[in-house]
Amino acid sequence: MKKIFSLILIIIFALSTITVQGVSGAETYDITVSDGTEESLQSALYRAKDVATAKDPYVIHVTKSMSISRGLSVYSNTKIVSDKGVVYTRVMPKDTKKVMLRFGDLGSYSSGYYYKNITIQGGVWNGNGTKKDKGFCIFKLAHAQNVKLIGCTFQKDVEGHMVEVGAVNNMVVKKCTFKDHISLDASYEHEEALQLDVNLKKTTEMGNFDKYQNKNITVTGCKFNNVGRGVGSHNSVEGLYFTNMHIDNNTFTNLKSYAVSCVNYRNSTIKDNDMLSCGGGILFMNIKNNYKSCTNSYVMKNWKLKLNTKKDNTVISGNTIKQIVTKEDAKSIILFGDQVPANYKDRYIKGDHCINGVTLYDNTIYTPKYTAILLNDAKNCKVNNNKVYYTGKGNTCYGIFLQDKCNGTSVTNNKIDKCFDGIAITDSNSLKVNSNTITSSKRNGIYCKGTKGSVLKKNKISNSTSQGMYFTKAKATVTGCKINNVLTHHGINTNSKDCDLKITGCTIKNCMQYGIAISQGKATIKNCKFSGNKSGNIYKG
């Protein structure tokens, strides 16, 4: 049967409307497929497999729409260029998970970055899915390097990923559109339209499962609309990292979950994206966390991997995030690491899976319910020049929350409006919290619990409901801060015996009770200015 099918393909290839060495504008084509059949296109791809080289890639020009019933296999040194208006429509049985296009043959055992120099340009790749389908991806791309997806549209996959990428080096996804994902389970909306995944049997199911990971990938100028998640992954292999990943200048609209989901990324950028009407913004993490983020961390014991705790150079900047309320407790931006203790019985590699040295600046966030920026075990990070606006009616949103072990992190020049606590700090040391402007907090301008050696300098806090600054179990220096118009309590308040503050050069006025209330603990107060505080300037309990 295989010989007969191959013969049929050769005959179709010979008889179909094919132009050799055609030229259209600046593009030179080796073959033009114009009869609208999958068989002719696959024949051209087989031809490319036989004759294409890195110096002389094979360019296939497609001029007519076609149905895809078997699935296309693409090989090295091949470029497919589709004319405007060309639509590829999946027509496969409802119970099959077969994809429309993959690198190599079905069941291939390729390893490393095996396939090379592949470009797919243009075309609407229509999964044509319905609620009756079992679930499938549109593209599966693995074990490759020098890959480009340019100007393609992907739509109507079912309970999967539109494009799934594993073990790929040097890839550009540019000016593509991902839209209209179909989910069979409304409670699970975590499938990334463009999944940059780890290459394991439980995840991508493509080729050999080895240590080769995605790296040097750029996603730019793309549009994501009406999908679960936008781009990234919810899986990781402990001790393996994606490097030089760039997700920049994209637009995300009407997403159920996070626009960008990054697990174990290093030296990457997430810049200048518009995330509008999204359930969450950016999930950036090193280990599965306790939130409803549907992440899976795999440990490959025979690979003998180790944690990488070196300082990261990832930058998250210039993003506009407008969240909507969904079923998921998502954040606008979350940087999440965690400590796995030596006596922990589960499979994770023991040690500190911290985020280290990420820079987060110039992001603008509108959140109706959830914490805008959350850091957990995120050390030596910079959270600078961000704007956070709470747009909801309740009082559940923290502006910037340094939750645990965020030692050495700086929070400077941020503007935060109408959040529950403008800045909240728990169990994190040696922080620099400087020159932030915090207005109309529902509770405290700044909340500090369990911090040592931290400096809070030149912050401006106005119209807080409860306290301008609230400290418990804290040893910190407060310098040059300005607090105005606290509605119910104090400008600065300490509320535990082990508080020890140095308060210098602050201006505190118009508080409903005291300017500074040392309810418990101790404080040194120097060169501060007070006015209009109804109960008095300083209280020591």
Side-chain angles (χ1 to χ4, degrees):
M1 285 297 293
K2 289 184 177 179
K3 290 183 178 180
I4 295 172
F5 181 66
S6 297
L7 180 60
I8 292 171
L9 286 178
I10 293 170
I11 293 170
I12 293 171
F13 178 78
L15 296 178
S16 61
T17 306
I18 295 177
T19 304
V20 181
Q21 291 297 339
V23 178
S24 176
E27 185 82 70
T28 300
Y29 305 115
D30 293 284
I31 290 179
T32 295
V33 178
S34 58
D35 69 341
T37 66
E38 178 182 8
E39 291 80 7
S40 291
L41 178 53
Q42 186 61 64
S43 293
L45 292 167
Y46 285 149
R47 176 66 176 166
K49 178 183 180 183
D50 291 338
V51 304
T53 65
K55 291 183 178 180
D56 188 15
Y58 206 72
V59 183
I60 301 170
H61 179 206
V62 180
T63 63
K64 190 174 182 179
S65 298
M66 65 182 68
S67 297
I68 304 295
S69 61
R70 293 176 177 271
L72 298 167
S73 293
V74 183
Y75 309 93
S76 293
N77 307 311
T78 301
K79 182 176 183 179
I80 302 174
V81 180
S82 302
D83 278 356
K84 186 177 181 180
V86 170
V87 179
Y88 302 85
T89 303
R90 185 180 186 271
V91 286
M92 298 180 184
K94 300 295 182 183
D95 61 349
T96 182
K97 291 187 175 183
K98 289 178 66 176
V99 302
M100 296 180 69
L101 183 148
R102 67 171 58 245
F103 289 168
D105 299 317
L106 182 64
S108 167
Y109 285 93
S110 56
S111 297
Y113 302 122
Y114 180 78
Y115 300 103
K116 297 176 175 65
N117 311 318
I118 299 174
T119 298
I120 313 294
Q121 181 175 314
V124 175
W125 298 85
N126 180 14
N128 194 32
T130 70
K131 292 282 187 178
K132 295 181 180 180
D133 283 283
K134 189 174 182 179
F136 60 87
C137 299
I138 296 175
F139 280 15
K140 281 201 172 206
L141 314 178
H143 293 294
Q145 65 182 8
N146 303 330
V147 176
K148 294 181 181 179
L149 301 181
I150 308 295
C152 302
T153 295
F154 303 94
Q155 63 188 41
K156 294 186 178 180
D157 70 311
V158 177
E159 202 75 6
H161 310 283
M162 294 181 182
V163 176
E164 191 170 278
V165 177
V168 173
N169 174 30
N170 192 22
M171 181 178 186
V172 175
V173 184
K174 186 175 181 180
K175 294 185 178 179
C176 291
T177 297
F178 302 79
K179 66 179 184 178
D180 299 335
H181 167 75
I182 298 170
S183 176
L184 303 180
D185 183 358
S187 66
Y188 186 86
E189 296 283 4
H190 305 99
E191 297 99 342
E192 297 84 6
L194 173 56
Q195 187 185 38
L196 310 175
D197 206 359
V198 296
N199 191 51
L200 296 176
K201 187 175 182 179
K202 292 182 179 180
T203 56
T204 57
E205 300 179 349
M206 298 183 288
N208 280 330
F209 314 119
D210 51 31
K211 295 182 182 180
Y212 287 83
Q213 296 298 301
N214 293 319
K215 62 181 181 179
N216 303 312
I217 293 180
T218 297
V219 182
T220 184
C222 295
K223 295 180 180 179
F224 299 80
N225 181 51
N226 192 27
V227 297
R229 288 184 177 178
V231 57
S233 175
H234 52 265
N235 299 313
S236 66
V237 174
E238 298 289 279
L240 283 182
Y241 302 90
F242 293 177
T243 56
N244 297 316
M245 311 290 282
H246 303 287
I247 304 169
D248 305 333
N249 295 293
N250 303 288
T251 301
F252 304 82
T253 54
N254 302 314
L255 271 62
K256 305 295 191 302
S257 184
Y258 284 97
V260 178
S261 175
C262 304
V263 188
N264 281 9
Y265 278 39
R266 294 289 188 275
N267 300 319
S268 299
T269 61
I270 306 168
K271 295 173 65 176
D272 301 321
N273 300 285
D274 288 330
M275 304 172 185
L276 313 175
S277 301
C278 295
I282 299 166
L283 174 64
F284 189 96
M285 59 189 301
N286 280 352
I287 190 171
K288 184 175 181 179
N289 63 20
N290 295 321
Y291 295 95
K292 300 175 183 178
S293 300
C294 286
T295 62
N296 294 303
S297 296
Y298 297 99
V299 175
M300 309 303 291
K301 292 183 179 180
N302 57 324
W303 289 3
K304 298 180 180 180
L305 300 171
K306 297 181 180 180
L307 293 183
N308 177 2
T309 59
K310 293 180 180 179
K311 195 169 183 179
D312 187 9
N313 294 314
T314 292
V315 174
I316 301 173
S317 71
N319 302 289
T320 298
I321 303 171
K322 294 184 179 180
Q323 269 191 273
I324 57 173
V325 176
T326 65
K327 295 178 181 179
E328 186 174 13
D329 180 19
K331 319 301 179 190
S332 299
I333 300 176
I334 176 171
L335 307 183
F336 193 95
D338 208 355
Q339 178 82 32
V340 178
N343 61 353
Y344 194 65
K345 294 181 180 180
D346 209 340
R347 63 188 187 277
Y348 298 118
I349 296 176
K350 308 304 184 287
D352 192 358
H353 297 246
C354 67
I355 303 289
N356 187 2
V358 170
T359 299
L360 198 164
Y361 73 94
D362 281 346
N363 300 286
T364 301
I365 297 170
Y366 301 86
T367 175
K369 183 178 180 180
Y370 312 107
T371 295
I373 299 173
L374 174 65
L375 281 68
N376 189 90
D377 196 10
K379 297 177 172 62
N380 307 308
C381 295
K382 296 179 181 179
V383 185
N384 304 337
N385 296 95
N386 302 286
K387 298 183 179 69
V388 176
Y389 304 99
Y390 179 66
T391 59
K393 296 181 180 179
N395 58 357
T396 59
C397 167
Y398 294 94
I400 299 173
F401 190 0
L402 279 58
Q403 185 170 253
D404 186 30
K405 298 188 290 293
C406 296
N407 302 339
T409 288
S410 64
V411 181
T412 61
N413 290 308
N414 301 284
K415 294 183 179 180
I416 305 166
D417 183 52
K418 295 185 176 67
C419 294
F420 182 57
D421 288 338
I423 297 173
I425 298 163
T426 59
D427 301 319
S428 299
N429 300 324
S430 303
L431 307 174
K432 294 180 181 179
V433 182
N434 301 336
S435 301
N436 300 285
T437 300
I438 303 168
T439 54
S440 303
S441 298
K442 305 298 181 182
R443 189 173 71 165
N444 305 305
I446 298 177
Y447 172 90
C448 292
K449 178 182 178 182
T451 185
K452 296 180 181 179
S454 296
V455 176
L456 294 81
K457 184 177 180 181
K458 293 185 178 180
N459 298 288
K460 296 180 181 180
I461 301 170
S462 61
N463 301 315
S464 296
T465 297
S466 183
Q467 325 272 353
M469 295 182 179
Y470 180 88
F471 295 89
T472 182
K473 299 180 180 180
K475 296 180 179 180
T477 298
V478 182
T479 303
C481 294
K482 295 182 179 180
I483 300 172
N484 182 35
N485 197 33
V486 176
L487 302 182
T488 62
H489 290 87
H490 316 295
I492 298 175
N493 186 18
T494 66
N495 200 25
S496 68
K497 293 180 180 179
D498 47 2
C499 271
D500 187 356
L501 301 184
K502 295 180 180 179
I503 305 171
T504 305
C506 294
T507 300
I508 305 171
K509 59 184 181 180
N510 301 322
C511 299
M512 181 58 69
Q513 296 187 27
Y514 289 95
I516 299 174
I518 311 302
S519 303
Q520 297 185 68
K522 61 183 180 179
T524 301
I525 304 169
K526 294 182 179 180
N527 302 321
C528 292
K529 298 179 181 179
F530 303 92
S531 65
N533 303 303
K534 292 191 175 180
S535 296
N537 295 330
I538 299 173
Y539 168 81
K540 292 186 177 182

